[in-house]
Amino acid sequence: MPDLVERAAALDALEAALEAAAGGCGSVVLVTGEPGIGKTALVTHFADLHRTDARVLIGLCDDLATPRPLGPFRDLADQLSGTSAELVRRDSATAAASVHQMLLEDLRRGPAPTVLVVEDVHWADQATIDAITVLGRRLADVPVLLVLTLRLGDVDPGHPLWSAVDALQRASTVTIDLSPLSRQAVLALAGQDADRIYALSNGNPFFVTELLASGDGPPPPSLANAVLSRVAQLPDRPRRLLELVSMVPSRMPTRLLDVLEPDWAAAAEPAERRQLLTSDAEHVRFRSELTRAAVRSSVPPVRRRQLHRKILRHLQEVGAEPAELVHHAEAAGDPDIVAEYALPAARQARAVDSHREALAHLRRAADHCDRLSPSERARLWGELAETAHLVGHGDEALRAADAAIALAEATGDEEATGRCTRLRSQLHWFAGEGESAWRDARAALRVLDRSGSPAQLALGYVGYAELAMLASRTEDALRWGARAVELAGGDDAVLARALAAVGAARMQLDPSDTGVLHAALDAARRTGEHEHAVLSYTALAFCNLLWVRPERALRSLQDGVRYAREHEVDTMVGYLEAIRAWLLLRQGAEDEATGLARATLTRAAAPESTVAGLVARTVLAERAVRRGADDADIRLAAVASDADRTGELKRIGPVLELEAERALTRGDPLPVSRLEDISRRVGPQPLRCGVAGARLAAWATVCGAPHEFEGRAPEPYAAMLERDWQAAADAFGAVGWQHDRALLLSFTDSEQALAEAVEIARTLGARPLEGRIRRRMRGAGLAVPRGALPSTRSNPAQLTDRQLEVLALVREGRGNADIAALLHLSPRTVEHHVAGIFTKLGVATRAEAVARCAELDLV
């Protein structure tokens, strides 16, 4: 575009952000818009204005088939301090974990202010996305303006960039969404030809520029042809230079051009004059990516391969990065080079947590694995299995693990056999195949006991401990976990996994015993064991949910999802989201829970057959049962079958609870025989202690069946074990689980409690439960209310009679013990009533409750 037309507001926003950065308050500016809208023109103009009064750093993301890890920061390495530059260039997990902090320190210590521009973030690799996210959220007191250009329309749903954008927008971020030029602007640029140009361009600045450059002649049939018609006017050498430059995504390094075309500058001059190319000391690039694409598409395939081959040869000579070599080798049709560099490119990407890019390279390497030795092939398939698992391709991971095991066995490498078999055990667990997971865990431990190193043998015991913990066999989990800790020695990564299994087992016995699990989480984060860090978050969330501690569960879920997305542990995102859906359902957010559960089932990482899919389907079955849906029985039978296949009480127990509730609300016989079958299926150990066993024992009490549980139970379930239905209902109500409260109230004989239960069920749309309570009231000769109790309807906070009584005594300044004595209630029940009052009044303290009471004239 000849001038920056209609971009004054955008420039003003950038100027304001830079002024704030100069004052020590850094921020992020997202410059978005469609291709050709002028993002690069805007930021380049702004950067040029401030090269004398600010440090300007500009890095670009490449449109490679598989992006270079930390590509834009590698471009900037020479302008960073020595330590930061060294870290950015290094390929290791340690570098990935440290580069964010070092970049931040470099920016904090450098000349102030700094304008850091990262262009075309929609092509960024995961490591770059992580770095941008970390930097962007920590600029509040750093004199840096971070400017990101991106095309959100090119970003697929579910891409990690969306999470990064969301995280940045919650920080100090300004979004500049560039709009097309108005008709008036085009008129100012094109004069009498404005109508034609505006009709063809729709105001896109690039299209306007291309059409203006085409002169007074007839418009080309397409804008691509407009570009090519201008290219055709160039002499032969400049045209061939354009073709060469178009083969390299984003921009061509001048050092590479110096080798490929030593006198390229003379050939570039006519193209620059016609605004096709632009250059600086380090790079030559097309003024628009659309121009590059048009030129590249015009090159015949045979010549295109020749150009890529020419570029590839010289990239090899200068020792280019593996990802660049693979990109050009594929385009050149050179399988030998792809085979040579795909695996190094994959390992470079894995080292900085760019797992999707790593998987793409590993697939390429697998296509050429016949060039490797059997032991190298076994290692390749093992890495592919691990990476495919991390990004949620479970079936592919299992096939790769099978191949790795077969190759390791064929070469007699028992340690590799044991390692890959242990990995396959983990994959079977995620697939919901409990028996297969145990079979592989046993086989791996036998092999590693014979031939494995102490660290690998420790991991074999970890696999056993993890499966035992997941199956609620806490005694076994603690025993095998202790053995793993003993063997781990100084291997922090192995120790973190062992501690996670031990910590999760201990938390199943005591919800306050979280120290070991938090230590495991910290160790996993410190050592870069991202999958196991997410597993620790998951254990914290799931255990807190089972212990009926929803607020703690929600915090761990949010932290876990954020961490999993940052580090591309896609397999666990679906699982965590399914647990969150379960929590939301219990809290009464049925629509949100249902939407989240269904979305989870559409994820590649959580199809119906996986453990994550099972949790999501259990959520949908619970809603169907509670709503009395026509497909409730079908859903319930399906999840019961798949839960049984896992062999885990924490999967089977919740389904049994639904089966019991279904029977209660329909007036059918309670599932006593099902309880007996579960007891045989899971064995005695999970039934004696642990939170899953406590819940099953509580429902056995409801069904009138015996149990052997003798450990600690969550508060509402402990009350159920004592058949104290009111106390159980109060405990559920205190955490906002209203349906559970109403269900437990339905066991009482209190007219007031049953009336409240009917009111809750009606409000929630739980017709089966409402019908059960109505039948009980009619059977007892009690009047069934048509709606809310008159006393409840009469006050704006919808407090029950009992809550009004308690509130009156709170207003008098009485404590819970006094209120309990006066109303002949237990102190715990009074505590639940007070919590319920606070929730309905929207207050946090007794003083606030009294003040709100006066405002509403409640007492």
Side-chain angles (χ1 to χ4, degrees), residues 198-368:
Y198 188 81
L200 289 171
S201 69
N202 199 31
N204 181 288
F206 165 72
F207 296 163
V208 171
T209 301
E210 297 303 319
L211 290 168
L212 286 172
S214 68
D216 297 329
S222 70
L223 289 171
N225 285 342
V227 173
L228 296 177
S229 68
R230 291 170 57 203
V231 172
Q233 297 171 21
L234 292 170
D236 182 66
R237 288 192 62 234
R239 277 205 314 274
R240 290 189 173 275
L241 177 66
L242 286 179
E243 292 178 351
L244 177 65
V245 174
S246 75
M247 296 300 116
V248 179
S250 298
R251 71 271 187 274
M252 172 79 81
T254 53
R255 61 181 176 79
L256 182 58
L257 267 180
D258 288 339
V259 177
L260 294 170
E261 298 286 341
D263 57 348
W264 64 268
E269 191 269 336
E272 287 191 276
R273 199 167 54 242
R274 287 171 173 78
Q275 298 186 342
L276 291 168
L277 287 182
T278 183
S279 63
D280 56 33
E282 296 181 355
H283 296 99
V284 173
R285 64 183 293 176
F286 282 88
R287 292 187 68 86
S288 165
E289 174 61 22
L290 298 178
T291 305
R292 185 189 79 86
V295 172
R296 188 180 187 280
S297 66
S298 72
V299 180
V302 172
R303 175 159 169 73
R304 203 180 301 165
R305 285 195 295 273
Q306 291 173 340
L307 291 173
H308 279 292
R309 193 172 295 121
K310 180 179 180 180
I311 294 168
L312 175 63
R313 184 171 64 252
H314 290 289
L315 284 175
Q316 287 180 281
E317 292 175 2
V318 299
E321 294 180 24
E324 290 180 291
L325 295 172
V326 169
H327 174 81
H328 290 288
E330 264 191 338
D334 192 330
D336 292 332
I337 301 299
V338 173
E340 181 179 356
Y341 288 100
L343 198 50
R347 288 169 179 163
Q348 184 187 68
R350 288 186 75 193
V352 291
D353 298 331
S354 291
H355 298 302
R356 294 182 189 85
E357 290 77 14
L359 181 59
H361 286 306
L362 285 166
R363 287 169 174 163
R364 293 185 178 97
D367 289 339
H368 303 282

Side-chain angles (χ1 to χ4, degrees), residues 141-153:
D141 60 348
V142 182
V144 171
L145 170 59
L146 174 60
V147 182
L148 310 175
T149 72
L150 64 161
R151 302 198 310 240
L152 291 176

Side-chain angles (χ1 to χ4, degrees), residues 25-182:
C25 183
S27 63
V28 182
V29 174
L30 303 178
V31 181
T32 67
E34 66 187 60
I37 201 67
K39 300 181 290 295
T40 296
L42 174 69
V43 298
T44 301
H45 179 80
F46 175 75
D48 289 341
L49 289 175
H50 293 285
R51 289 189 184 277
T52 58
D53 57 8
R55 178 170 65 156
V56 176
L57 306 175
I58 301 179
L60 298 93
C61 301
D62 299 322
D63 185 21
L64 292 170
T66 304
R68 294 179 302 139
L70 293 173
F73 296 101
R74 290 172 185 267
D75 292 342
L76 297 171
D78 292 339
Q79 300 176 63
L80 301 173
S81 68
T83 305
S84 297
E86 181 184 351
L87 274 174
V88 167
R89 293 191 182 104
R90 193 184 306 163
D91 302 325
S92 69
T94 304
S98 307
V99 70
H100 306 153
Q101 186 60 36
M102 291 304 301
L103 280 171
L104 193 62
E105 289 302 316
D106 188 281
L107 294 170
R108 193 187 300 274
R109 293 194 304 267
T114 295
V115 177
L116 172 57
V117 178
V118 180
E119 285 206 63
D120 297 325
V121 177
H122 46 276
W123 289 325
D125 65 288
Q126 183 64 49
T128 297
I129 293 172
D130 291 347
I132 288 169
T133 305
V134 171
L135 291 176
R137 297 185 67 185
R138 288 162 174 77
L139 293 182
D141 60 348
V142 182
V144 171
L145 170 59
L146 174 60
V147 182
L148 310 175
T149 72
L150 64 161
R151 302 198 310 240
L152 291 176
D154 286 5
V155 183
D156 293 331
H159 192 283
L161 183 57
W162 287 109
S163 297
V165 170
D166 180 61
L168 291 173
Q169 287 176 336
R170 292 198 297 270
S172 179
T173 300
V174 174
T175 299
I176 299 175
D177 189 8
L178 297 180
S179 302
L181 301 179
S182 67

Side-chain angles (χ1 to χ4, degrees), residues 423-444:
L423 170 62
R424 191 171 66 181
S425 170
Q426 185 178 351
L427 299 176
H428 279 308
W429 179 84
F430 273 99
E433 298 285 354
E435 186 176 340
S436 297
W438 276 105
R439 183 180 62 245
D440 274 348
R442 286 190 290 269

Side-chain angles (χ1 to χ4, degrees), residues 749 754 774-782:
D749 296 318
L754 290 170
R774 287 178 174 278
R775 290 193 298 273
R776 286 216 65 222
M777 295 185 77
R778 283 195 293 267
L782 300 174

